[in-house]
Amino acid sequence: MSAPGLLRAFSCGVLAANATPHAYAATVGATQLTPLAGRHSGPEVNAVWAAVNGVGAAVLGRHLDPRDARQRQAFKAGVAAFATWALISEWATDLNG
């Protein structure tokens, strides 16, 4: 597997992971920071941002090989990297407060 393929898998994981908290905020009617409307983005904006991330992950994921263990690991590393960044940034700053 080439480096671009692994980067694609990693990026797919990041986008998939980023969609999750925004889908949650949209579902429960919460506000959460998005680049579309800032710190107090409402549920509708979060639904749009979740969809943008989900579509991006789907587009990247279409070109991945589910039998390729290195791609699966890169995808999971992307999920883990995003989740770690999100958790630390929530603890260190009050991004959504």
Side-chain angles (χ1 to χ4, degrees):
M1 171 48 45
S2 66
L6 295 177
L7 180 59
R8 186 179 305 118
F10 181 87
S11 299
C12 181
V14 169
L15 290 172
N18 191 29
T20 304
H22 294 287
Y24 170 80
T27 301
V28 301
T31 60
Q32 181 164 318
L33 174 73
T34 71
L36 301 177
R39 174 178 271 217
H40 300 291
S41 298
E44 296 83 8
V45 174
N46 274 280
V48 169
W49 189 240
V52 167
N53 281 273
V55 168
V59 168
L60 291 174
R62 286 185 45 188
H63 303 289
L64 301 178
D65 180 358
R67 298 166 300 192
D68 186 329
R70 290 182 64 205
Q71 284 186 359
R72 288 193 312 273
Q73 292 165 356
F75 174 86
K76 292 172 187 175
V79 171
F82 179 82
T84 301
W85 171 83
L87 185 59
I88 290 171
S89 68
E90 286 281 338
W91 282 340
T93 64
D94 190 15
L95 289 176
N96 297 307

